[in-house]
mmCIF file of all heavy atoms in Angstrom:
data_model
loop_
_atom_site.group_PDB
_atom_site.id
_atom_site.type_symbol
_atom_site.label_atom_id
_atom_site.label_comp_id
_atom_site.label_asym_id
_atom_site.label_seq_id
_atom_site.Cartn_x
_atom_site.Cartn_y
_atom_site.Cartn_z
ATOM 1 N N THR A 1 3.077 -4.892 7.338
ATOM 2 C CA THR A 1 4.419 -5.177 6.819
ATOM 3 C C THR A 1 4.280 -6.050 5.580
ATOM 4 O O THR A 1 3.199 -6.565 5.288
ATOM 5 C CB THR A 1 5.269 -5.901 7.869
ATOM 6 O OG1 THR A 1 4.595 -7.121 8.231
ATOM 7 C CG2 THR A 1 5.446 -5.050 9.120
ATOM 8 N N GLU A 2 5.367 -6.233 4.865
ATOM 9 C CA GLU A 2 5.338 -6.997 3.619
ATOM 10 C C GLU A 2 4.786 -8.404 3.825
ATOM 11 O O GLU A 2 3.981 -8.899 3.051
ATOM 12 C CB GLU A 2 6.741 -7.078 3.009
ATOM 13 C CG GLU A 2 7.202 -5.801 2.340
ATOM 14 C CD GLU A 2 6.339 -5.410 1.154
ATOM 15 O OE1 GLU A 2 5.833 -6.318 0.467
ATOM 16 O OE2 GLU A 2 6.144 -4.201 0.933
ATOM 17 N N GLU A 3 5.207 -9.074 4.926
ATOM 18 C CA GLU A 3 4.774 -10.454 5.146
ATOM 19 C C GLU A 3 3.302 -10.560 5.557
ATOM 20 O O GLU A 3 2.707 -11.639 5.515
ATOM 21 C CB GLU A 3 5.659 -11.146 6.195
ATOM 22 C CG GLU A 3 5.737 -10.452 7.536
ATOM 23 C CD GLU A 3 6.925 -9.505 7.627
ATOM 24 O OE1 GLU A 3 7.358 -8.984 6.580
ATOM 25 O OE2 GLU A 3 7.416 -9.290 8.747
ATOM 26 N N ASP A 4 2.702 -9.415 5.981
ATOM 27 C CA ASP A 4 1.292 -9.432 6.382
ATOM 28 C C ASP A 4 0.342 -9.136 5.220
ATOM 29 O O ASP A 4 -0.872 -9.268 5.356
ATOM 30 C CB ASP A 4 1.035 -8.407 7.501
ATOM 31 C CG ASP A 4 1.759 -8.779 8.784
ATOM 32 O OD1 ASP A 4 1.924 -9.985 9.021
ATOM 33 O OD2 ASP A 4 2.155 -7.862 9.523
ATOM 34 N N LYS A 5 0.888 -8.720 4.095
ATOM 35 C CA LYS A 5 0.046 -8.399 2.941
ATOM 36 C C LYS A 5 -0.389 -9.708 2.279
ATOM 37 O O LYS A 5 0.376 -10.334 1.544
ATOM 38 C CB LYS A 5 0.807 -7.521 1.950
ATOM 39 C CG LYS A 5 1.182 -6.154 2.514
ATOM 40 C CD LYS A 5 2.017 -5.354 1.528
ATOM 41 C CE LYS A 5 2.480 -4.046 2.134
ATOM 42 N NZ LYS A 5 3.351 -3.286 1.228
ATOM 43 N N VAL A 6 -1.612 -10.108 2.611
ATOM 44 C CA VAL A 6 -2.076 -11.436 2.181
ATOM 45 C C VAL A 6 -3.254 -11.332 1.209
ATOM 46 O O VAL A 6 -3.639 -10.243 0.787
ATOM 47 C CB VAL A 6 -2.469 -12.280 3.423
ATOM 48 C CG1 VAL A 6 -1.247 -12.709 4.185
ATOM 49 C CG2 VAL A 6 -3.408 -11.488 4.324
ATOM 50 N N GLU A 7 -3.833 -12.492 0.921
ATOM 51 C CA GLU A 7 -4.894 -12.565 -0.085
ATOM 52 C C GLU A 7 -6.098 -11.699 0.281
ATOM 53 O O GLU A 7 -6.321 -11.367 1.438
ATOM 54 C CB GLU A 7 -5.327 -14.027 -0.259
ATOM 55 C CG GLU A 7 -4.272 -14.921 -0.911
ATOM 56 C CD GLU A 7 -3.226 -15.412 0.072
ATOM 57 O OE1 GLU A 7 -3.289 -14.992 1.251
ATOM 58 O OE2 GLU A 7 -2.337 -16.185 -0.322
ATOM 59 N N ASP A 8 -6.900 -11.401 -0.724
ATOM 60 C CA ASP A 8 -8.065 -10.529 -0.553
ATOM 61 C C ASP A 8 -9.135 -11.128 0.343
ATOM 62 O O ASP A 8 -9.960 -10.406 0.897
ATOM 63 C CB ASP A 8 -8.680 -10.195 -1.913
ATOM 64 C CG ASP A 8 -7.813 -9.229 -2.704
ATOM 65 O OD1 ASP A 8 -6.990 -8.544 -2.070
ATOM 66 O OD2 ASP A 8 -7.974 -9.163 -3.940
ATOM 67 N N ASP A 9 -9.157 -12.466 0.481
ATOM 68 C CA ASP A 9 -10.226 -13.076 1.280
ATOM 69 C C ASP A 9 -9.924 -13.082 2.775
ATOM 70 O O ASP A 9 -10.687 -13.615 3.566
ATOM 71 C CB ASP A 9 -10.524 -14.500 0.803
ATOM 72 C CG ASP A 9 -9.311 -15.411 0.900
ATOM 73 O OD1 ASP A 9 -8.194 -14.883 1.086
ATOM 74 O OD2 ASP A 9 -9.487 -16.652 0.806
ATOM 75 N N VAL A 10 -8.804 -12.485 3.176
ATOM 76 C CA VAL A 10 -8.479 -12.364 4.606
ATOM 77 C C VAL A 10 -9.110 -11.088 5.155
ATOM 78 O O VAL A 10 -9.011 -10.019 4.553
ATOM 79 C CB VAL A 10 -6.955 -12.350 4.827
ATOM 80 C CG1 VAL A 10 -6.626 -12.061 6.290
ATOM 81 C CG2 VAL A 10 -6.352 -13.683 4.404
ATOM 82 N N VAL A 11 -9.782 -11.229 6.296
ATOM 83 C CA VAL A 11 -10.435 -10.084 6.935
ATOM 84 C C VAL A 11 -9.685 -9.741 8.222
ATOM 85 O O VAL A 11 -9.389 -10.636 9.029
ATOM 86 C CB VAL A 11 -11.914 -10.411 7.267
ATOM 87 C CG1 VAL A 11 -12.579 -9.224 7.948
ATOM 88 C CG2 VAL A 11 -12.672 -10.788 6.003
ATOM 89 N N PHE A 12 -9.377 -8.465 8.401
ATOM 90 C CA PHE A 12 -8.626 -8.027 9.585
ATOM 91 C C PHE A 12 -9.553 -7.359 10.605
ATOM 92 O O PHE A 12 -10.482 -6.628 10.235
ATOM 93 C CB PHE A 12 -7.527 -7.037 9.189
ATOM 94 C CG PHE A 12 -6.368 -7.669 8.476
ATOM 95 C CD1 PHE A 12 -6.296 -7.655 7.083
ATOM 96 C CD2 PHE A 12 -5.338 -8.270 9.180
ATOM 97 C CE1 PHE A 12 -5.240 -8.232 6.413
ATOM 98 C CE2 PHE A 12 -4.261 -8.849 8.526
ATOM 99 C CZ PHE A 12 -4.211 -8.831 7.136
ATOM 100 N N TYR A 13 -9.274 -7.600 11.882
ATOM 101 C CA TYR A 13 -9.997 -6.972 12.989
ATOM 102 C C TYR A 13 -8.991 -6.408 13.978
ATOM 103 O O TYR A 13 -7.874 -6.909 14.094
ATOM 104 C CB TYR A 13 -10.874 -7.994 13.723
ATOM 105 C CG TYR A 13 -11.938 -8.643 12.880
ATOM 106 C CD1 TYR A 13 -11.678 -9.809 12.164
ATOM 107 C CD2 TYR A 13 -13.211 -8.085 12.797
ATOM 108 C CE1 TYR A 13 -12.651 -10.401 11.383
ATOM 109 C CE2 TYR A 13 -14.201 -8.671 12.020
ATOM 110 C CZ TYR A 13 -13.908 -9.831 11.315
ATOM 111 O OH TYR A 13 -14.877 -10.412 10.546
ATOM 112 N N LEU A 14 -9.405 -5.380 14.718
ATOM 113 C CA LEU A 14 -8.625 -4.897 15.858
ATOM 114 C C LEU A 14 -9.403 -5.211 17.126
ATOM 115 O O LEU A 14 -10.598 -4.926 17.206
ATOM 116 C CB LEU A 14 -8.385 -3.385 15.771
ATOM 117 C CG LEU A 14 -7.306 -2.894 14.805
ATOM 118 C CD1 LEU A 14 -7.177 -1.372 14.908
ATOM 119 C CD2 LEU A 14 -5.962 -3.531 15.100
ATOM 120 N N VAL A 15 -8.736 -5.799 18.114
ATOM 121 C CA VAL A 15 -9.366 -6.120 19.391
ATOM 122 C C VAL A 15 -8.674 -5.305 20.491
ATOM 123 O O VAL A 15 -7.468 -5.442 20.702
ATOM 124 C CB VAL A 15 -9.278 -7.632 19.709
ATOM 125 C CG1 VAL A 15 -9.917 -7.910 21.068
ATOM 126 C CG2 VAL A 15 -9.960 -8.447 18.623
ATOM 127 N N PHE A 16 -9.448 -4.429 21.151
ATOM 128 C CA PHE A 16 -8.952 -3.583 22.237
ATOM 129 C C PHE A 16 -9.403 -4.211 23.560
ATOM 130 O O PHE A 16 -10.605 -4.358 23.796
ATOM 131 C CB PHE A 16 -9.541 -2.165 22.148
ATOM 132 C CG PHE A 16 -9.218 -1.429 20.875
ATOM 133 C CD1 PHE A 16 -9.864 -1.746 19.681
ATOM 134 C CD2 PHE A 16 -8.279 -0.407 20.869
ATOM 135 C CE1 PHE A 16 -9.584 -1.057 18.504
ATOM 136 C CE2 PHE A 16 -7.994 0.296 19.696
ATOM 137 C CZ PHE A 16 -8.649 -0.038 18.520
ATOM 138 N N THR A 17 -8.455 -4.558 24.428
ATOM 139 C CA THR A 17 -8.799 -5.189 25.706
ATOM 140 C C THR A 17 -8.448 -4.267 26.859
ATOM 141 O O THR A 17 -7.263 -4.034 27.142
ATOM 142 C CB THR A 17 -8.069 -6.541 25.869
ATOM 143 O OG1 THR A 17 -8.395 -7.382 24.757
ATOM 144 C CG2 THR A 17 -8.493 -7.226 27.153
ATOM 145 N N GLY A 18 -9.482 -3.706 27.506
ATOM 146 C CA GLY A 18 -9.274 -2.829 28.655
ATOM 147 C C GLY A 18 -9.535 -3.567 29.958
ATOM 148 O O GLY A 18 -9.760 -4.785 29.966
ATOM 149 N N SER A 19 -9.553 -2.831 31.056
ATOM 150 C CA SER A 19 -9.725 -3.452 32.368
ATOM 151 C C SER A 19 -11.150 -3.956 32.580
ATOM 152 O O SER A 19 -11.362 -4.974 33.254
ATOM 153 C CB SER A 19 -9.349 -2.462 33.478
ATOM 154 O OG SER A 19 -10.087 -1.262 33.328
ATOM 155 N N THR A 20 -12.138 -3.276 32.007
ATOM 156 C CA THR A 20 -13.536 -3.696 32.215
ATOM 157 C C THR A 20 -14.325 -3.842 30.919
ATOM 158 O O THR A 20 -15.429 -4.369 30.926
ATOM 159 C CB THR A 20 -14.287 -2.682 33.118
ATOM 160 O OG1 THR A 20 -14.291 -1.400 32.476
ATOM 161 C CG2 THR A 20 -13.626 -2.568 34.486
ATOM 162 N N VAL A 21 -13.764 -3.353 29.808
ATOM 163 C CA VAL A 21 -14.489 -3.373 28.530
ATOM 164 C C VAL A 21 -13.568 -3.870 27.419
ATOM 165 O O VAL A 21 -12.373 -3.570 27.416
ATOM 166 C CB VAL A 21 -15.020 -1.959 28.178
ATOM 167 C CG1 VAL A 21 -15.649 -1.940 26.801
ATOM 168 C CG2 VAL A 21 -16.035 -1.490 29.209
ATOM 169 N N GLN A 22 -14.149 -4.627 26.481
ATOM 170 C CA GLN A 22 -13.404 -5.093 25.311
ATOM 171 C C GLN A 22 -14.145 -4.649 24.046
ATOM 172 O O GLN A 22 -15.371 -4.706 23.985
ATOM 173 C CB GLN A 22 -13.268 -6.612 25.339
ATOM 174 C CG GLN A 22 -12.290 -7.164 24.306
ATOM 175 C CD GLN A 22 -12.053 -8.650 24.493
ATOM 176 O OE1 GLN A 22 -12.987 -9.413 24.718
ATOM 177 N NE2 GLN A 22 -10.802 -9.079 24.395
ATOM 178 N N HIS A 23 -13.374 -4.206 23.040
ATOM 179 C CA HIS A 23 -13.953 -3.764 21.774
ATOM 180 C C HIS A 23 -13.341 -4.574 20.636
ATOM 181 O O HIS A 23 -12.145 -4.870 20.648
ATOM 182 C CB HIS A 23 -13.649 -2.280 21.492
ATOM 183 C CG HIS A 23 -13.853 -1.371 22.655
ATOM 184 N ND1 HIS A 23 -15.072 -0.812 22.969
ATOM 185 C CD2 HIS A 23 -12.977 -0.886 23.577
ATOM 186 C CE1 HIS A 23 -14.945 -0.033 24.042
ATOM 187 N NE2 HIS A 23 -13.678 -0.062 24.416
ATOM 188 N N CYS A 24 -14.163 -4.902 19.664
ATOM 189 C CA CYS A 24 -13.671 -5.550 18.442
ATOM 190 C C CYS A 24 -14.183 -4.740 17.256
ATOM 191 O O CYS A 24 -15.390 -4.547 17.109
ATOM 192 C CB CYS A 24 -14.159 -6.996 18.370
ATOM 193 S SG CYS A 24 -13.654 -7.841 16.860
ATOM 194 N N THR A 25 -13.262 -4.237 16.423
ATOM 195 C CA THR A 25 -13.666 -3.414 15.283
ATOM 196 C C THR A 25 -13.278 -4.088 13.976
ATOM 197 O O THR A 25 -12.196 -4.675 13.863
ATOM 198 C CB THR A 25 -13.011 -2.016 15.325
ATOM 199 O OG1 THR A 25 -11.609 -2.145 15.037
ATOM 200 C CG2 THR A 25 -13.196 -1.356 16.672
ATOM 201 N N SER A 26 -14.161 -4.008 12.986
ATOM 202 C CA SER A 26 -13.790 -4.449 11.648
ATOM 203 C C SER A 26 -12.919 -3.366 11.023
ATOM 204 O O SER A 26 -12.791 -2.263 11.564
ATOM 205 C CB SER A 26 -15.041 -4.703 10.807
ATOM 206 O OG SER A 26 -15.751 -3.506 10.586
ATOM 207 N N THR A 27 -12.295 -3.669 9.900
ATOM 208 C CA THR A 27 -11.428 -2.693 9.234
ATOM 209 C C THR A 27 -11.798 -2.596 7.755
ATOM 210 O O THR A 27 -12.470 -3.467 7.205
ATOM 211 C CB THR A 27 -9.935 -3.085 9.331
ATOM 212 O OG1 THR A 27 -9.744 -4.318 8.634
ATOM 213 C CG2 THR A 27 -9.493 -3.224 10.773
ATOM 214 N N ARG A 28 -11.341 -1.529 7.138
ATOM 215 C CA ARG A 28 -11.531 -1.325 5.710
ATOM 216 C C ARG A 28 -10.164 -1.264 5.057
ATOM 217 O O ARG A 28 -9.262 -0.567 5.549
ATOM 218 C CB ARG A 28 -12.282 -0.013 5.470
ATOM 219 C CG ARG A 28 -12.581 0.264 4.023
ATOM 220 C CD ARG A 28 -13.307 1.577 3.861
ATOM 221 N NE ARG A 28 -12.416 2.727 4.015
ATOM 222 C CZ ARG A 28 -12.693 3.948 3.578
ATOM 223 N NH1 ARG A 28 -13.845 4.184 2.988
ATOM 224 N NH2 ARG A 28 -11.847 4.942 3.752
ATOM 225 N N LYS A 29 -9.974 -2.010 3.963
ATOM 226 C CA LYS A 29 -8.691 -1.992 3.263
ATOM 227 C C LYS A 29 -8.614 -0.766 2.365
ATOM 228 O O LYS A 29 -9.453 -0.565 1.502
ATOM 229 C CB LYS A 29 -8.529 -3.263 2.426
ATOM 230 C CG LYS A 29 -8.275 -4.515 3.244
ATOM 231 C CD LYS A 29 -8.122 -5.733 2.351
ATOM 232 C CE LYS A 29 -7.946 -6.992 3.214
ATOM 233 N NZ LYS A 29 -7.907 -8.230 2.385
ATOM 234 N N ILE A 30 -7.607 0.074 2.601
ATOM 235 C CA ILE A 30 -7.384 1.250 1.751
ATOM 236 C C ILE A 30 -6.590 0.822 0.522
ATOM 237 O O ILE A 30 -6.878 1.226 -0.595
ATOM 238 C CB ILE A 30 -6.606 2.343 2.518
ATOM 239 C CG1 ILE A 30 -7.274 2.653 3.847
ATOM 240 C CG2 ILE A 30 -6.453 3.598 1.673
ATOM 241 C CD1 ILE A 30 -6.475 3.573 4.732
ATOM 242 N N ASN A 31 -5.558 0.019 0.755
ATOM 243 C CA ASN A 31 -4.713 -0.546 -0.306
ATOM 244 C C ASN A 31 -4.101 -1.825 0.261
ATOM 245 O O ASN A 31 -4.355 -2.158 1.424
ATOM 246 C CB ASN A 31 -3.643 0.473 -0.748
ATOM 247 C CG ASN A 31 -2.823 0.991 0.430
ATOM 248 O OD1 ASN A 31 -2.244 0.201 1.181
ATOM 249 N ND2 ASN A 31 -2.771 2.305 0.586
ATOM 250 N N PRO A 32 -3.304 -2.565 -0.505
ATOM 251 C CA PRO A 32 -2.773 -3.845 0.006
ATOM 252 C C PRO A 32 -1.971 -3.735 1.296
ATOM 253 O O PRO A 32 -1.861 -4.713 2.045
ATOM 254 C CB PRO A 32 -1.884 -4.326 -1.149
ATOM 255 C CG PRO A 32 -2.486 -3.711 -2.370
ATOM 256 C CD PRO A 32 -2.984 -2.372 -1.936
ATOM 257 N N GLY A 33 -1.436 -2.548 1.586
ATOM 258 C CA GLY A 33 -0.601 -2.428 2.780
ATOM 259 C C GLY A 33 -1.199 -1.598 3.901
ATOM 260 O O GLY A 33 -0.548 -1.366 4.922
ATOM 261 N N SER A 34 -2.449 -1.113 3.756
ATOM 262 C CA SER A 34 -3.030 -0.220 4.774
ATOM 263 C C SER A 34 -4.476 -0.576 5.090
ATOM 264 O O SER A 34 -5.257 -0.905 4.192
ATOM 265 C CB SER A 34 -2.969 1.236 4.310
ATOM 266 O OG SER A 34 -1.645 1.631 4.055
#
């Protein structure tokens, strides 16, 4: 969203939490909003 579009030095991760396994993935910026 507009308020989440922050400076270039911010790194985003996705954390998936399941019943027995947890995953953490890095992300790649396609553009400022994706």
